[in-house]
Amino acid sequence: MTAANQHSRNQQSRELLREAWDDFIDNIQSARDAIDQSEYFPPDGDDRTLAEGYRYLAGFMHSAVERAFHDDANFPAFRNAISVYNKSTIDNADAIYFYAAIDGRQYYRVQAKLADAQHWRGQERASSGALAPQYLIFELHSGPMAGDTGDLGELTPGRRTGFGSLDSSVLQLGDDGQLELLIGPERPAGYSGNFICSRKPPRASDPDGDDRYADFISGRQLFYDWSREEAAQLTITALHSEGRQPAPLDSVRAARKLRKMGAIVRGQMHFWLAFYDRILNSRGRHQEGRYAMPVNGYNRPNAASGDTGGGMSTNIYAGGIFDLGENDALYIEARYSVEPVYTSLHLSNLWGESPDYANHQSSLNGFQMAMGADGVQRWVVAHSDPGVPNWIDTTGLRRGYLSNRWAYPELPDEDQWPTISARKVAFSDIPGCFPADTPSLTPAERRTVIAERQRHVQRRFRVF
């Protein structure tokens, strides 16, 4: 190639990338507008809310870099879909949310070495040493990741396809705790291990259509005993490209990835605020002023669906909105007849970010909370520590989301789903809400609890 031709080609690359960069910036600006422009349904803009809105935007930028530039179905790796650095979607403080891009026409091997996982099987927990997460699930999907389009139309049935799941209740482990999962369009002859099929035939409504293939694998690791449970270090290998190398980046692909990065950020910022406003009716503007997420109360528990913004397929969810003055508290009770493998209560700000759950007790799961002899789950949400174990710290948020989850290997019949209720009480009345067998916590004991949370969150999201 002559020097003149090389110069011309370089100039074309510069122009292509600059144009893509400008499109990226336009999308970021459009995403930013969702923080304070009323047509995008942002929460009321006091000082903390505005500051957290920019952090929320930065979180989507953080994840969009990975998704746009580093997702490769031929050379996949598991990544955090949500973490302490990019919280969103009223996330679960007990969870690692993970995903990897795949091509459902190909075969993949997922592996992990788990610590003692006998508690998955309902067996007695080991008396010492590390444990695997309380619950682990893998799921295959195709279609846009929730929120990417920026349009609530993506919730229309048929826009996404689920291809199956496997969770702790059925995953086979080797004697040494080794986990191996095969993913592919057809189970190999004679293979009896863990397998999820990544292909589905055409829909009945389109019998002449093409087979459908999964685009990504996602899942959750849920933690109960924060002092001992350790994250499973998952790997995924594309069997068709193992040991090979990806092509180097060029200007055409980089331009496409820049545009994708901006579109992800814009779509996520616009979609979730519209979801909270129109689907959850968080501001009471729809359905004749009635809240789908009641204020200082709960909606009826429901399974994962468009109404929950998706979510783990084995979960039952309930939600509401807390709105508490300085001397108010929210007392909550829940009952269940079928024992879940996991249960929890979490808060979130009005952007859908969980509060700082490392340095505050802004969430509690079934292992962490105290339960009386009657088996009723009881919590109190308040701005200050009332000295009861099941205090949920608002971290100073006057208003935010309440989210409860109960996970099951298989969803029970609807008449056996949990029930939940809440009522606002005076802070001074909190002790009388709990039964006599409820222990108390001193400030020193609370600091010990927080120190344990701090250590666990560092381990869970270690980046070295």
Side-chain angles (χ1 to χ4, degrees), residues 26-40:
D26 287 345
N27 270 321
I28 296 300
Q29 285 293 97
S30 179
R32 191 230 66 85
D33 289 345
I35 295 174
D36 55 20
Q37 300 297 311
S38 60
E39 62 266 33
Y40 299 111

Side-chain angles (χ1 to χ4, degrees), residues 319-336:
I321 295 170
F322 68 89
D323 192 339
L324 302 173
E326 182 178 353
N327 297 312
D328 294 332
L330 190 67
Y331 173 70
I332 302 166
E333 286 189 2
R335 292 169 170 81
Y336 50 78

Side-chain angles (χ1 to χ4, degrees), residues 107-161:
Y107 284 87
Y108 297 82
R109 181 177 59 243
V110 175
Q111 291 179 303
K113 178 69 177 292
L114 302 181
D116 188 329
Q118 296 306 309
H119 54 300
W120 283 2
R121 314 298 186 215
Q123 301 178 25
E124 185 176 348
R125 296 167 69 90
S127 59
S128 63
L131 298 172
Q134 172 72 13
Y135 188 73
L136 174 63
I137 185 170
F138 299 94
E139 300 182 294
L140 298 190
H141 299 274
S142 69
M145 284 196 178
D148 274 1
T149 67
D151 182 354
L152 292 179
E154 73 178 56
L155 298 176
T156 303
R159 291 291 299 276
R160 297 191 186 92
T161 300

Side-chain angles (χ1 to χ4, degrees), residues 347-364:
L347 303 185
S348 131
N349 65 15
L350 294 177
W351 298 107
E353 296 178 305
S354 59
D356 178 0
Y357 50 75
N359 300 304
H360 297 265
Q361 188 170 285
S362 57
S363 69
L364 279 176

